[in-house]
Amino acid sequence: MRPALAALLLTLPLLSGCATDSGGAWVELRGQRYTVEVADEHGERARGLMFREQLADGTGMLFVHDEPRPLAYWMKNTKIPLDIFYFDASRKLVSVSRGVPPCSLGDRCPPYPSAGPALYVLELNAGQAGKLGTQPGDEIVFGPGIPERGRP
């Protein structure tokens, strides 16, 4: 009994660390907070929300790029209709692709480009841009722990 209790006590700090890492990141846009998964490495950005069956309300994915540049996202193997928000290095909204449909055409899926250089991309369930009334120039607010790059 005691070895099992000791093993449990040694495991608890590891479990709490995992929960914090996966559930703590958030962003705010026009006063609405979203819990986000952060994709700040190439492999994470390439996979994005592929193969997911749903995206829970109030959640999204934040892509953090290495430098600002014109970006184009596509919906390869993505099963969820999305709004794709492009933000510059100052975290100001550059453009939004609204209601982007899922695509199962593989490499033939169409791209959805930003209207200018972007550093951050936020993907939310389709319809969020309309509900929020987003406009170019809106600022995204980052919660603690989200990596920032290129902020003047």
Side-chain angles (χ1 to χ4, degrees):
M1 190 74 131
R2 288 184 189 243
L5 180 59
L8 177 62
L9 291 175
L10 289 173
T11 306
L12 285 176
L14 296 174
L15 292 175
S16 66
C18 291
T20 301
D21 291 343
S22 65
W26 56 266
V27 299
E28 284 185 5
L29 184 57
R30 294 188 62 91
Q32 179 67 44
R33 185 173 288 193
Y34 296 91
T35 301
V36 293
E37 293 178 57
V38 178
D40 60 348
E41 295 177 5
H42 176 72
E44 295 169 334
R45 290 189 301 257
R47 182 167 174 90
L49 293 171
M50 285 185 181
F51 307 109
R52 305 266 182 107
E53 296 292 333
Q54 63 180 344
L55 185 60
D57 288 340
T59 67
M61 182 170 275
L62 179 70
F63 299 81
V64 180
H65 289 269
D66 296 325
E67 61 187 45
R69 65 179 189 269
L71 296 172
Y73 273 50
W74 62 346
M75 299 289 283
K76 179 180 179 180
N77 299 319
T78 304
K79 300 177 177 186
I80 309 161
L82 299 171
D83 287 346
I84 305 171
F85 301 79
Y86 295 95
F87 297 89
D88 65 16
S90 297
R91 295 188 278 168
K92 303 286 186 189
L93 183 61
V94 173
S95 61
V96 180
S97 293
R98 297 170 184 246
V100 177
C103 184
S104 59
L105 299 175
D107 290 343
R108 295 185 326 229
C109 292
Y112 296 89
S114 61
L119 184 61
Y120 305 102
V121 178
L122 177 64
E123 291 184 341
L124 300 174
N125 282 313
Q128 292 301 299
K131 287 180 185 175
L132 295 171
T134 55
Q135 300 291 322
D138 286 345
E139 184 172 356
I140 190 170
V141 176
F142 290 172
I146 294 181
E148 291 193 53
R149 298 192 174 113
R151 184 143 170 111

